[in-house]
């Protein structure tokens, strides 16, 4: 059954005294895939970070509701426990913590349930095989020495293992070759179902090929200036953002 998952109302936010998000409103229902498009510097990544509660950004007006609850004042880990997940545009390296330990600890924190080692490792191995990742990477420090493509696959691995209600994907496909994009796309497709939702920033629409896009939002200068269905993606692929900016 479709239900409203995320609702953003007149959101204004910024950092270091500069307003970046200038009155955004949008809503995402369960089962939906939403795409955010826009030129560089338009505020797309800022919006994702604000939704996730990044402490470097301040909300000055409006609110963010998740499953009917105002989460604007919650910290990032509290939002994660409620079912939000953010895949970073540039994943961080975390020396001293293995991929397995990070994911097992995170899953315990998010679900509140103890993760038995054997069952967890079995699930982790299956997910890594799905993403064509060497299982040995589970014992490596998070993203340390990983290529760009391996870091992005590791982000999708985290999403699959944590199984959030809403996945925020910030250019997860950037810098990937064609084969890697297809693998990441399959991972996102495997994750998505009628009980969760995706909000995706992308410049490379190949990641959307295995997904049915419900709504497209065009973000320019911190504002949503146009919205539509998947046909809007084709329009922008043909003509770019120039004509939209001219309005």
């Amino acid at each position: 059954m479709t239900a409203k998952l995320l609702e953003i109302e007149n959101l204004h936010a910024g950092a270091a005294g500069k307003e970046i998000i200038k009155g955004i409103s949008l809503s995402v229902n369960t089962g939906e895939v939403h795409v955010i498009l826009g030129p560089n510097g338009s505020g797309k990544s800022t919006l994702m970070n604000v939704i996730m509660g990044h402490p470097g950004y301040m909300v000055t007006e409006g609110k963010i509701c998740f499953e009917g609850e105002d989460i604007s004042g919650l910290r990032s880990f509290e939002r994660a426990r409620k079912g939000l997940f953010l895949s970073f545009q540039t994943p961080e390296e975390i020396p001293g913590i293995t991929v397995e330990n990070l994911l097992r600890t995170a899953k315990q924190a998010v679900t509140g349930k103890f993760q038995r080692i054997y069952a967890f490792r079995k699930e982790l191995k299956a997910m890594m095989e799905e993403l064509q990742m060497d299982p040995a990477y589970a014992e490596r420090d998070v993203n340390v020495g990983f290529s760009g493509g391996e870091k992005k696959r590791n982000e999708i691995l985290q999403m699959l293992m944590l199984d959030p209600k809403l996945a925020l994907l910030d250019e997860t496909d950037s810098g990937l070759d064609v084969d890697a994009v297809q693998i990441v796309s399959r991972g996102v497709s495997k994750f998505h179902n009628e009980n969760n939702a995706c909000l995706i920033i992308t410049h490379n629409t190949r990641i959307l090929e295995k997904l049915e896009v419900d709504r497209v939002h065009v973000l320019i200068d911190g504002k949503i200036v146009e919205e539509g269905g998947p046909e809007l993606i084709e329009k922008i692929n043909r003509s770019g953002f120039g004509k939209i900016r001219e309005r």
Side-chain angles (χ1 to χ4, degrees):
M1 181 178 177
T2 300
K4 188 164 289 186
L5 194 59
L6 175 72
E7 185 168 16
I8 298 174
E9 298 180 7
N10 191 34
L11 184 66
H12 292 253
K18 179 183 178 182
E19 186 176 56
I20 303 171
I21 302 301
K22 305 172 183 178
I24 287 179
S25 297
L26 64 84
S27 62
V28 180
N29 297 326
T30 55
E32 292 184 342
V33 174
H34 286 232
V35 176
I36 299 177
L37 301 176
N40 292 333
S42 59
K44 302 185 300 298
S45 293
T46 296
L47 176 61
M48 292 294 211
N49 280 297
V50 170
I51 293 172
M52 198 64 214
H54 191 298
Y57 297 92
M58 179 177 292
V59 174
T60 56
E61 189 176 342
K63 62 181 180 179
I64 303 168
C65 293
F66 188 70
E67 294 190 309
E69 176 188 355
D70 188 348
I71 62 169
S72 304
L74 297 186
R75 290 171 289 182
S76 296
F77 75 87
E78 294 171 318
R79 301 185 195 201
R81 284 176 176 168
K82 290 189 177 295
L84 279 80
F85 171 86
L86 173 60
S87 171
F88 294 100
Q89 182 178 355
T90 307
E92 294 286 338
E93 296 183 2
I94 310 178
I97 301 177
T98 67
V99 170
E100 180 183 326
N101 286 340
L102 173 72
L103 284 173
R104 187 162 174 256
T105 301
K107 192 161 186 175
Q108 286 182 168
V110 168
T111 64
K113 298 178 181 178
F114 178 75
Q115 299 296 307
R116 298 186 180 278
I117 293 178
Y118 178 78
F120 178 83
R121 285 179 174 171
K122 183 178 179 180
E123 182 184 5
L124 179 60
K125 183 179 179 181
M127 292 298 184
M128 294 184 81
E129 288 176 352
E130 184 78 27
L131 295 171
Q132 297 182 25
M133 294 178 68
D134 184 343
Y137 275 61
E139 299 305 315
R140 291 180 58 174
D141 289 357
V142 178
N143 291 328
V144 176
F146 286 26
S147 69
E150 288 165 345
K151 289 180 179 180
K152 295 303 181 73
R153 291 189 206 187
N154 194 33
E155 291 285 288
I156 298 301
L157 175 66
Q158 292 173 40
M159 178 186 70
L160 290 171
M161 291 297 294
L162 297 177
D163 192 25
K165 296 175 183 177
L166 175 63
L168 308 169
L169 306 181
D170 186 359
E171 294 193 38
T172 306
D173 53 348
S174 67
L176 302 183
D177 60 31
V178 174
D179 291 338
V181 170
Q182 290 178 345
I183 292 169
V184 167
S185 179
R186 286 200 300 271
V188 177
S189 178
K190 180 179 177 62
F191 160 76
H192 182 248
N193 60 50
E194 63 182 8
N195 298 314
N196 60 36
C198 296
L199 184 59
I200 302 172
I201 294 174
T202 181
H203 287 294
N204 182 352
T205 54
R206 286 198 201 96
I207 195 175
L208 307 173
E209 289 177 357
K210 298 183 183 301
L211 297 169
E212 185 175 332
V213 174
D214 295 282
R215 195 73 175 159
V216 178
H217 313 271
V218 179
L219 185 63
I220 295 178
D221 191 27
K223 301 176 182 178
I224 293 177
V225 297
E226 187 165 344
E227 295 178 294
E231 70 281 353
L232 186 52
I233 296 174
E234 295 303 319
K235 176 182 175 182
I236 291 172
N237 282 341
R238 289 194 310 269
S239 307
F241 299 104
K243 291 185 179 179
I244 296 175
R245 286 180 169 184
E246 291 170 0
R247 296 177 185 174

